[in-house]
Amino acid sequence: MTEWKTPLRKVKVGTGRRVRTGDDVAILGIGHLGNHALKAAEQLEADGISAAMYDMRFVKPIDETLLHEVFGKFDKVITVEDGCIQGGMGSAVLEFAADQGYAARVVRLGVPDRWIEHGTQSELYSECGYNVEDIAAAARKLGLQLRRVVYRELGGLGREAARRERLDGRGRVGLLIHLQADVAHRERPAELHVGPRLEVLAHLAEALLVG
């Protein structure tokens, strides 16, 4: 993605590609901002968030086969483009998701609908909110980091007993912990190890769910 001194090859019009695999969130970039998206995915990996990165390459025609792959796997998607948010790639992705009946949380990053001052590229990326740090922050705002921490602390039990329940209007993920700790602890205390730390995590998840 970042190495541009490569031999030319034919690319079929209207086709994108998956550059990086992941499990928690998909970041869709186009053009040179795909480099930002890839670096953000690497940052998120260090935080315990598994981010996939897709290089869309074309907006019209957009790669619907690739988008089916994205929305078939992810319920959290971030689009990044060096252009106006309204009527851009992110809007095309939203239209596709709506037409196909996908219920995913889509966050669009790009040039907002307001007056933008002059500046260097890096200054404008920061001004418009789609530099590397902004992209990573958008993923964290979806609540992914907290979910990964809870899963990691709960271990195998967490992966089976904790699941995402919903996204509220502020983009935080709610966690519903199906522990049934009282009954389970009495029946299998040696296996579950329900203790104060687990109870704190359960309360934290419950607070997010209703907060």
Side-chain angles (χ1 to χ4, degrees):
M1 191 71 183
T2 57
E3 178 54 60
W4 61 273
K5 292 183 179 180
T6 56
L8 295 177
R9 61 185 179 86
K10 288 185 178 180
V11 175
K12 184 179 179 181
V13 173
T15 61
R17 57 177 178 158
R18 184 190 337 108
V19 179
R20 177 190 174 98
T21 59
D23 298 315
D24 294 323
V25 61
I27 306 175
L28 280 54
I30 191 166
H32 68 285
L33 282 189
N35 297 316
H36 287 194
L38 190 58
K39 290 178 181 177
E42 293 168 354
Q43 273 192 16
L44 292 168
E45 188 69 29
D47 294 340
I49 298 173
S50 179
M53 188 268 158
Y54 292 82
D55 176 16
M56 296 305 297
R57 293 198 291 207
F58 296 89
V59 175
K60 189 172 181 65
I62 200 163
D63 191 340
E64 294 191 353
T65 300
L66 194 63
L67 289 179
H68 276 299
E69 175 185 325
V70 171
F71 287 102
K73 180 177 181 180
F74 300 96
D75 60 2
K76 297 174 187 60
V77 177
I78 299 172
T79 66
V80 188
E81 57 193 303
D82 194 16
C84 296
I85 293 178
Q86 286 81 359
M89 181 192 72
S91 294
V93 171
L94 278 175
E95 290 176 7
F96 169 85
D99 291 344
Q100 299 299 321
Y102 289 112
R105 173 80 167 98
V106 178
V107 175
R108 296 176 298 159
L109 301 180
V111 179
D113 189 20
R114 60 177 173 81
W115 177 260
I116 306 298
E117 299 288 346
H118 291 283
T120 65
Q121 277 192 323
S122 60
E123 289 172 340
L124 294 177
Y125 293 154
S126 298
E127 171 71 17
C128 294
Y130 53 84
N131 60 25
V132 174
E133 290 72 23
D134 293 324
I135 299 170
R140 296 188 188 100
K141 286 181 181 178
L142 292 175
L144 291 165
Q145 188 172 24
L146 176 60
R147 179 166 64 86
R148 297 288 288 187
V149 168
V150 172
Y151 278 15
R152 185 170 62 248
E153 294 294 339
L154 292 178
L157 173 64
R159 286 188 291 273
E160 297 176 2
R163 66 182 176 86
R164 286 166 297 158
E165 183 66 14
R166 66 176 176 83
L167 285 170
D168 65 21
R170 287 161 291 183
R172 295 182 307 171
V173 69
L175 295 177
L176 184 61
I177 306 297
H178 298 282
L179 294 178
Q180 297 179 335
D182 292 338
V183 175
H185 184 51
R186 287 196 301 268
E187 293 179 352
R188 296 181 298 166
E191 294 179 33
L192 292 179
H193 303 291
V194 177
R197 188 173 184 80
L198 185 60
E199 293 175 3
V200 169
L201 289 168
H203 287 310
L204 178 58
E206 182 181 0
L208 279 175
L209 182 61
V210 300

